[in-house]
């Protein structure tokens, strides 16, 4: 489909999806602010052609709209979910090739990340420039199986970075390498093809190769080349690859960094040393502005897709789910047969592994993708003293500031434990009083007739 990031950008420009900024602009705060403004005002991709102090271009808000993920997969937005579910179960393994454009420049002497890459500084109190689209690839030190995910990376020095390695599988790999007292070899990818980028954050069980998922979703195998200084393979057409090692049993403050949740976080996090950088000629730096909407596609949509089928087949009465705010809010549409179904389904969803903190169950006459409908159901079908449950001490999301967090060394490695409480709201109709809760309606026939009348008067509906 699209072999690389720059090919997708060319296509998006042809589709009029891109706002081009040709005036000189700084990677320090300015590009990030521009991405946010453009994302908020019209949702376009932002392409910066003249970067202060750097060659090459910067692109942002690439997957800030679901329709662009659909374009990346070669389908209409309406067919995105169905196509995703179909292709997701048909992975295509990556293939190893001799060489590729990522090796056009290979540098290991006098490295200085910030001189070589226009890394953005995003928010006012961020400690340093950060990679926000950095896909970290590593291998399980025990099995050799590859894993990957996006992790925030603080550029702390010419070759030194701090990484928030909290989610599996990378967090588990580090735990295992630390038990062996060895460094963990990593490659940091910046600027890969859009489906590969999206696939890196899919909620996949450990041991599943996300590059295979990417191949399946795009319909063609991802070409990989061997790294130069470590035992890893990386996409041959990536814009940049940084090769390095996470140092064992070393932790340093990393942050503050303005996160996807809208808050600054500082953690005690691992440190890595970069020993080699490869990049294409005239590289494009892929940026992501946290808390500007792109996470709705990357996190909410992908997690929703990954969990939906399993939950629908294992939770009786569940019809559909919609995830919001990084999965912290889940709306569940149910086919209510018993009075207790609303709360029963909430309890089952609490235990499903998504860091959902608020779950709302609604009936089938509520459109769970329409916030107005959802608020209407809560306002009129929910009584707090009867329809609410609260649970405590459940694992939560590390970047939710309202959680309780502590560092633990119980497993032999340094792990961040996050605990939250959860609330469930049953906003379904009581079965013994359905008439009173009938939603007012306009018949489809009248609606169709009136649409035709309005269209005659020149009103486009
Ligand atoms: C924009 C973005 C930023 C992320 N940053 C981090 C991070 O800094 N640290 C982390 O551990 N996980 C981070 N994640 C989540 C991981 O990338 C992870 O891949 C994801 O939770 C699901 O994959 P998994 O099932 O393999 O864990 C981020 C995800 C996204 C979409």
């Amino acid at each position: 489909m699209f072999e690389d990031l720059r090919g997708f950008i060319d296509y998006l420009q042809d589709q009029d999806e891109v706002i081009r900024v040709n005036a000189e602009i700084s990677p320090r705060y300015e590009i990030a602010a521009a991405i946010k403004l453009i994302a908020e005002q019209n949702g376009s991709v932002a392409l910066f052609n003249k970067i202060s102090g750097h060659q090459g271009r910067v692109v942002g808000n690439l997957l800030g709209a679901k329709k662009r993920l659909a374009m990346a997969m070669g389908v209409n937005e309406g067919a995105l979910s169905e196509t995703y579910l179909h292709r997701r179960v048909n992975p295509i393994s990556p293939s190893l090739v001799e060489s590729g454009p990522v090796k056009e420049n290979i540098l290991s002497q006098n490295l200085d990340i910030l001189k070589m890459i226009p890394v953005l500084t995003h928010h006012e109190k961020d400690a340093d420039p950060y990679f926000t689209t950095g896909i970290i690839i590593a291998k399980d030190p025990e099995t050799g199986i590859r894993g990957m995910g996006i992790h925030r990376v603080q550029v702390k020095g010419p070759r030194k970075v701090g990484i928030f390695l909290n989610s599996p599988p990378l967090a588990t790999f580090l735990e295992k390498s630390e038990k062996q007292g060895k460094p963990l070899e990593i490659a940091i990818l910046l600027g890969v093809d859009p489906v590969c980028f999206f696939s890196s954050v899919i909620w996949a069980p450990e041991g599943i190769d996300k590059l295979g998922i990417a191949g399946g979703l795009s319909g063609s195998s991802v070409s990989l080349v061997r790294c130069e200084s470590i035992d890893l393979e990386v996409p041959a057409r990536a814009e940049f690859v940084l090769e390095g090692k996470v140092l064992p049993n070393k932790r340093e403050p990393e942050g503050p960094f303005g996160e996807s949740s809208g808050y600054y976080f500082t953690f005690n996090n691992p440190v890595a040393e970069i020993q080699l950088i490869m990049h294409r000629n005239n590289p494009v730096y892929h940026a992501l502005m946290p808390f500007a909407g792109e996470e709705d596609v990357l996190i909410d949509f992908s997690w929703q897709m990954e969990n939906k089928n399993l939950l629908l087949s294992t939770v009786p009465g569940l019809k559909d789910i919609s995830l919001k705010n990084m999965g912290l809010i889940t709306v569940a549409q149910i086919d209510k047969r018993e009075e207790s179904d609303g709360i029963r389904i909430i309890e089952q969803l609490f235990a499903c592994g998504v860091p959902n903190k608020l779950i709302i169950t609604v009936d089938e006459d509520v459109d769970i993708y329409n916030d107005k409908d959802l608020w209407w159901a809560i306002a009129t079908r929910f009584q707090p003293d009867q329809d609410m449950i609260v649970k405590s001490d459940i694992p939560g999301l590390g970047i939710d500031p309202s959680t309780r967090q502590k560092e633990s060394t119980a497993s032999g490695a340094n792990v961040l434990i996050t605990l939250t409480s959860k609330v469930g709201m049953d906003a379904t109709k009581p079965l013994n009083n359905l008439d009173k809760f009938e939603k007012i309606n306009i018949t489809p026939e009248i609606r169709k007739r009136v649409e035709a009348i309005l269209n005659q008067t020149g009103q486009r509906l």
Side-chain angles (χ1 to χ4, degrees), residues 35-204:
I35 294 172
K36 187 159 175 99
L37 281 174
I38 291 170
E40 282 172 359
Q41 276 171 18
N42 68 1
S44 294
V45 175
L47 182 63
F48 303 91
N49 288 323
K50 195 163 183 219
I51 318 300
S52 313
H54 290 271
Q55 306 287 334
R57 299 175 290 167
V58 174
V59 70
N61 202 34
L62 193 76
L63 295 182
K66 250 204 273 181
K67 79 170 164 191
R68 290 200 288 273
L69 176 61
M71 287 174 172
M73 287 171 56
V75 296
N76 292 326
E77 190 179 344
L80 179 61
S81 300
E82 203 183 316
T83 309
Y84 179 98
L85 292 171
H86 172 68
R87 293 189 190 168
R88 173 66 179 82
V89 289
N90 294 297
I92 299 175
S93 299
S95 38
L96 197 60
V97 295
E98 269 306 304
S99 191
V102 69
K103 298 210 173 189
E104 282 166 353
N105 302 273
I106 301 173
L107 304 141
S108 57
Q109 302 299 314
N110 304 317
L111 291 188
D112 190 337
I113 297 170
L114 292 183
K115 285 199 178 131
M116 297 168 69
I117 308 175
V119 194
L120 305 192
T121 310
H122 301 82
H123 290 101
E124 186 185 359
K125 293 188 178 163
D126 285 0
D128 274 314
Y130 265 83
F131 297 146
T132 48
T133 61
I135 300 172
I136 318 285
I137 293 200
K139 285 183 180 164
D140 184 318
E142 286 171 4
T143 64
I145 293 173
R146 180 167 50 219
M148 64 201 255
I150 295 183
H151 294 259
R152 74 188 212 187
V153 177
Q154 177 179 0
V155 182
K156 294 183 158 197
R159 304 158 60 112
K160 178 180 171 185
V161 297
I163 314 182
F164 183 28
L165 286 175
N166 189 46
S167 327
L170 274 294
T172 324
F173 294 176
L174 181 63
E175 223 178 299
K176 288 181 181 176
S177 65
E178 290 192 325
K179 277 188 188 149
Q180 297 173 355
K182 291 185 184 157
L184 179 70
E185 291 187 336
I186 53 160
I188 304 177
L189 318 179
L190 296 166
V192 294
D193 77 78
V195 176
C196 193
F197 175 61
F198 173 77
S199 302
S200 69
V201 291
I202 285 176
W203 183 292

